[in-house]
């Protein structure tokens, strides 16, 4: 799988799907989440659960992440050119990207290249992105916030979840893990936690 993953970026095998984020009250699309998929010619669609950990291990997640950033911005710019009213687009960022210092500069360059307001981007990360180098992560996220890009904490309630992280990090949105949300209409304990 790793041998097939290495040339995938150059061969244009990655694609993005855009999942709408919809208001339950109004039905209005409030934003989109960009989901990375790998369409490998021999294997077909490869699940992100299979290739993302591999990309993180071998360092390919950084160039893949830069491709995602560029592709998201290019798509938003294309929608604007076609006269569509763009909504914010969220995309996942790995711990490797957060703990590297180049992410804020890459965001600024992409926003300038496509002439987009930063309010149209939202980074999604899990708490594991903070765990290895929390002070560096705090500094990087502060730079991201200074650009005007929103930050969402994904899968909250699993892994290292801690309410103290909500105080320490510049989080705009909290995405509660589906294991808590799935039963909120039938389980009063889950409903209380989500509330």
């Amino acid at each position: 799988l790793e041998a097939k993953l290495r040339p995938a970026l150059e061969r244009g095998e990655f694609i993005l799907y855009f999942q709408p984020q919809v208001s339950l009250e109004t039905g209005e699309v409030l934003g989109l989440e960009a989901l990375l998929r790998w369409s490998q010619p021999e294997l077909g669609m490869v699940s992100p659960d299979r290739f993302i950990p591999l990309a993180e291990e071998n360092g390919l997640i950084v160039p893949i992440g830069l491709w995602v950033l560029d592709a998201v911005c290019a798509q938003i710019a294309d929608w604007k050119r076609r006269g569509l009213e763009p909504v914010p687009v969220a995309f996942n960022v790995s711990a490797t990207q957060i703990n590297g210092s180049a992410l804020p500069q890459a965001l600024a360059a992409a926003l300038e290249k496509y002439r987009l307001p930063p309010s149209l981007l939202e980074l999604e990360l899990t708490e594991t992105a903070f765990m290895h180098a929390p002070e560096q992560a705090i500094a990087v996220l502060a730079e991201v916030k200074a650009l005007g890009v929103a930050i969402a904490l994904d899968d909250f309630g699993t892994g290292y979840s801690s309410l103290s992280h909500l105080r320490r990090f510049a989080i705009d949105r909290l995405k509660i893990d589906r294991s808590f949300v799935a039963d909120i209409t039938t389980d009063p304990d889950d409903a209380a936690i989500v509330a």
Side-chain angles (χ1 to χ4, degrees):
L1 194 63
E2 184 173 353
K4 289 178 174 23
L5 182 61
R6 288 198 176 278
L9 197 56
E10 292 81 30
R11 292 180 181 169
E13 296 174 1
F14 291 111
I15 54 175
L16 293 177
Y17 287 102
F18 293 91
Q19 176 176 290
Q21 298 171 338
V22 180
S23 167
L24 291 177
E25 292 176 358
T26 66
E28 176 187 9
V29 175
L30 302 175
L32 301 169
E33 182 175 353
L35 304 172
L36 179 65
R37 298 295 183 257
W38 179 21
S39 179
Q40 208 287 323
E42 296 167 28
L43 303 174
M45 293 299 278
V46 181
S47 167
D49 295 343
R50 288 184 64 202
F51 75 84
I52 295 292
L54 187 60
E56 288 177 344
E57 284 175 25
N58 64 23
L60 290 174
I61 196 67
V62 172
I64 292 171
L66 291 173
W67 178 86
V68 169
L69 170 61
D70 190 76
V72 164
C73 290
Q75 183 62 71
I76 295 170
D78 182 55
W79 287 328
K80 285 180 74 169
R81 269 193 303 277
R82 292 198 235 170
L84 299 172
E85 186 64 36
V87 293
V89 178
F91 58 97
N92 291 303
V93 177
S94 76
T96 305
Q97 292 170 279
I98 289 293
N99 292 320
S101 59
L103 181 62
Q105 293 80 5
L107 283 165
L111 290 168
E112 184 177 332
K113 175 181 176 181
Y114 292 102
R115 295 189 164 103
L116 299 176
S119 61
L120 291 177
L121 295 182
E122 180 178 84
L123 302 186
E124 281 192 11
L125 47 137
T126 61
E127 285 175 286
T128 55
F130 305 135
M131 301 317 297
H132 301 295
E135 298 311 316
Q136 184 174 356
I138 289 170
V140 170
L141 294 180
E143 287 184 62
V144 169
K145 291 291 291 181
L147 291 172
V149 174
I151 299 169
L153 185 59
D154 200 6
D155 294 332
F156 187 76
T158 61
Y160 299 101
S161 294
S162 168
L163 293 176
S164 69
H165 291 153
L166 301 182
R167 262 193 353 217
R168 293 183 68 203
F169 299 105
I171 305 299
D172 295 295
R173 216 156 53 98
L174 187 64
K175 294 181 71 180
I176 299 169
D177 186 71
R178 79 171 80 184
S179 63
F180 294 105
V181 177
D183 297 323
I184 59 173
T185 60
T186 58
D187 185 335
D189 291 334
D190 283 355
I193 290 169
V194 171

